[in-house]
Amino acid sequence: MKKYDAIIIGFGKGGKTLAGFLAGKGQNVALIEKSDKMYGGTCINIGCIPTKKLVDSTKVLKNKGLSGIEEKERFYTESINNKNTLIGALRGKNYEMLATKENIDIYDGFGSFASKNVVNIESNGENVQIEGEKIFINTGSATIIPGIKGLKESNHVYTSTSIMELKELPKKLTILGAGYIGLEFASMYADFGSEVTVIDLAQRLMPREDEEIADRAKAIFEAKGIKFLLESKIEEIIDKNGKGYVQISQGASKSEIESDAILVAIGRKPNTEGLNLEVAGVKTDEKGAVVVDETLKTTADNIWAMGDVKGGLQFTYISLDDFRIIRDNLYNGGNRTVNDRNVIPYSVFINPPLSRVGMTESEAIAKGYEVKTGRLEAMAIPKAKIEGVTDGLLKAVIDAKTDKILGCTLLCNTSHEMINIVAAAMKAEQKYTFLKDMIFTHPTMSEALNDLFGSVK
């Protein structure tokens, strides 16, 4: 049995970065990945990069002025091919960066625990076991497949992964779930030219966001032709006449939606199935996430978990920060923990994107803060007018007693870049006047922060 200083199960952001780092420290490392289509992890192959590449393609489509359905369909097929070329190159580069290191062995196969130090690797019906002093779990998350009648039997049902392999643009797309993944796909496919319907049990769209911002986003969606069926229960999916039909109930009324494609976007869950964690003494919580302490160590003293598999926020930059925590605790005296992550921005890549950091106004009030707010219409931003994307609304929430920024939500073009400036100011514990009086270049979207924080009252 071959022995290693470290075994990493999963080729995601945290795992691959840790593998390179440990190899640089002279450690012998084994990196296990069950699919050769997943070198580099979810973000590169089926998440952030391919979806954002397609979102960017919709902007090119708009700039080209293509309006005919046949033109849009051809452009969609080209966009899928371009996306595949991009991720293929990135996947190959990620593999090469690690495979060329003498003290890293990459195993293709499914890794599971045989004990707390031994991992079994199953590939093509054959099993190999390896032993590791330290083991790191980085297996990510998987799409939740709900127990809807007829869903598994339908030929028209897709996940966020499989739908991006469709070479033909769905004329009618039905999305099950109005979460952030569902909304990104709704926005993207509507911009490509699909007729999109979104179904959800919720009473309102994006219930965790500021209500005014969520309402504005809904209006932008509806202006694209997206139809929302909220407070709706999915009863069954039936294939007939070459189509998929989603049968729903809204109170006493029942209806069905004809679909060329049905996207399941109910959510994602920690990918722990089959890992055999119990034999290694690794506990999971009620949601199936690996239980970790503030340094990401599991209930086994030689095993850590990083990324989506441990639950919490499912962002690739959280997985990268997980690497930093593990690195610092192994080599730099253990002075970094998950408790240091008090300011975490995020973006939802609808069009225009929605980005947020910190609390909404209602959340701040519920926590007992006395607040002041700032508000700015996106159409008031000169750069937004130049770029021709004037939809949206920007809001800021301020602690009235200290003038510190409690939160900020930006629904506007390039908000995914702007929100990092706000997050940096919050991390540095600056007062809102820091951004109100900051000197920005002109004309830019970022200079809108002058006006947003200048409107605080």
Side-chain angles (χ1 to χ4, degrees):
M1 184 185 301
K2 192 164 185 178
K3 296 183 179 181
Y4 293 89
D5 297 308
I7 298 173
I8 301 169
I9 307 174
F11 207 137
K13 183 68 172 180
K16 69 180 183 183
T17 310
L18 180 62
F21 172 78
L22 292 176
K25 290 289 185 179
Q27 301 279 291
N28 291 315
V29 180
L31 181 58
I32 305 168
E33 177 51 57
K34 68 177 181 179
S35 171
D36 60 5
K37 298 294 190 295
M38 289 297 290
Y39 297 142
T42 296
C43 178
I44 284 175
N45 294 286
I46 60 174
C48 324
I49 301 300
T51 54
K52 279 46 173 190
K53 175 62 175 175
L54 292 176
V55 168
D56 188 65
S57 294
T58 65
K59 298 175 183 177
V60 176
L61 172 64
K62 181 180 178 182
N63 291 336
K64 284 178 174 287
L66 301 180
S67 56
I69 187 63
E70 291 184 0
E71 288 181 313
K72 288 185 175 181
E73 288 176 345
R74 282 196 296 271
F75 183 82
Y76 172 77
T77 301
E78 291 174 8
S79 298
I80 293 294
N81 290 335
N82 291 339
K83 178 266 298 182
N84 289 341
T85 300
L86 172 64
I87 63 174
L90 291 173
R91 183 190 303 135
K93 184 65 175 176
N94 272 262
Y95 178 81
E96 180 186 344
M97 286 173 60
L98 297 182
T100 53
K101 293 184 181 294
E102 289 185 1
N103 48 342
I104 295 180
D105 291 335
I106 297 177
Y107 290 87
D108 292 329
F110 186 87
S112 61
F113 286 92
S115 72
K116 76 172 195 172
N117 290 102
V118 177
V119 174
N120 183 74
I121 305 168
E122 191 275 326
S123 179
N124 298 321
E126 297 184 359
N127 292 278
V128 173
Q129 290 192 340
I130 58 176
E131 183 177 344
E133 180 181 343
K134 297 181 179 67
I135 301 177
F136 305 89
I137 306 168
N138 185 222
T139 51
S141 60
T143 299
I144 295 172
I145 305 298
I148 298 169
K149 186 178 180 181
L151 185 146
K152 291 183 179 179
E153 293 74 25
S154 174
N155 294 317
H156 300 278
V157 171
Y158 300 87
T159 65
S160 59
T161 300
S162 60
I163 197 168
M164 288 192 292
E165 297 306 315
L166 273 180
K167 294 292 183 74
E168 185 175 333
L169 179 68
K171 291 182 173 63
K172 293 183 178 181
L173 171 64
T174 301
I175 299 176
L176 312 184
Y180 296 138
I181 294 174
L183 293 178
E184 284 191 357
F185 276 87
S187 178
M188 177 172 68
Y189 274 89
D191 286 342
F192 271 123
S194 296
E195 181 182 321
V196 179
T197 302
V198 181
I199 306 170
D200 201 283
L201 273 171
Q203 293 182 328
R204 75 174 181 91
L205 205 62
M206 294 188 285
R208 287 181 291 179
E209 301 297 338
D210 176 275
E211 189 166 2
E212 186 180 12
I213 294 280
D215 288 345
R216 182 65 63 87
K218 186 170 184 283
I220 294 171
F221 281 129
E222 290 174 336
K224 297 175 186 284
I226 299 171
K227 183 179 181 181
F228 290 96
L229 299 176
L230 301 178
E231 299 183 82
S232 300
K233 182 182 178 182
I234 303 162
E235 301 287 354
E236 187 175 0
I237 295 173
I238 298 175
D239 285 0
K240 57 184 179 181
N241 304 321
K243 304 280 186 180
Y245 289 81
V246 182
Q247 297 184 341
I248 67 169
S249 59
Q250 295 172 299
S253 66
K254 297 184 183 296
S255 59
E256 66 178 18
I257 300 99
E258 179 185 296
S259 316
D260 295 297
I262 300 165
L263 171 63
V264 179
I266 304 296
R268 295 180 67 84
K269 62 181 180 180
N271 196 13
T272 55
E273 187 174 350
L275 289 179
N276 207 21
L277 296 173
E278 59 277 4
V279 303
V282 175
K283 292 183 179 179
T284 57
D285 64 17
E286 65 280 359
K287 294 183 179 180
V290 175
V291 174
V292 295
D293 65 13
E294 68 276 7
T295 66
L296 304 179
K297 182 173 282 190
T298 70
T299 48
D301 60 10
N302 68 311
I303 302 173
W304 291 256
M306 54 208 307
D308 294 356
V309 74
K310 71 184 192 317
L313 296 173
Q314 296 179 351
F315 300 126
T316 191
Y317 46 89
I318 294 297
S319 185
L320 178 60
D321 198 57
D322 287 348
F323 152 73
R324 297 185 189 114
I325 291 171
I326 289 174
R327 174 199 65 192
D328 287 4
N329 279 276
L330 289 179
Y331 286 93
N332 296 333
N335 58 355
R336 192 184 186 108
T337 74
V338 295
N339 299 323
D340 298 322
R341 297 200 288 233
N342 59 329
V343 178
I344 302 175
Y346 64 85
S347 294
V348 185
F349 286 85
I350 55 180
N351 186 19
L354 183 151
S355 301
R356 177 179 155 196
V357 62
M359 293 180 277
T360 64
E361 181 180 3
S362 60
E363 287 174 341
I365 292 172
K367 290 188 176 182
Y369 287 97
E370 180 184 341
V371 303
K372 300 187 289 188
T373 61
R375 186 180 183 280
L376 181 70
E377 292 284 347
M379 67 177 62
I381 305 170
K383 181 64 170 175
K385 294 178 180 178
I386 292 171
E387 296 179 341
V389 185
T390 56
D391 291 330
L393 178 65
L394 297 74
K395 294 188 73 173
V397 183
I398 309 301
D399 184 340
K401 294 182 178 179
T402 66
D403 282 345
K404 297 289 181 64
I405 305 168
L406 297 175
C408 184
T409 305
L410 309 176
L411 175 64
C412 64
N413 198 33
T414 68
S415 70
H416 51 290
E417 300 285 357
M418 300 164 65
I419 201 67
N420 294 309
I421 300 171
V422 182
M426 290 175 65
K427 188 70 176 177
E429 298 186 349
Q430 293 288 335
K431 295 181 178 181
Y432 79 92
T433 50
F434 176 77
L435 293 176
K436 170 179 173 283
D437 298 324
M438 173 70 72
I439 297 174
F440 292 97
T441 54
H442 172 81
T444 59
M445 290 296 292
S446 296
E447 68 178 335
L449 298 175
N450 287 152
D451 292 332
L452 173 61
F453 288 95
S455 72
V456 170
K457 58 183 178 181

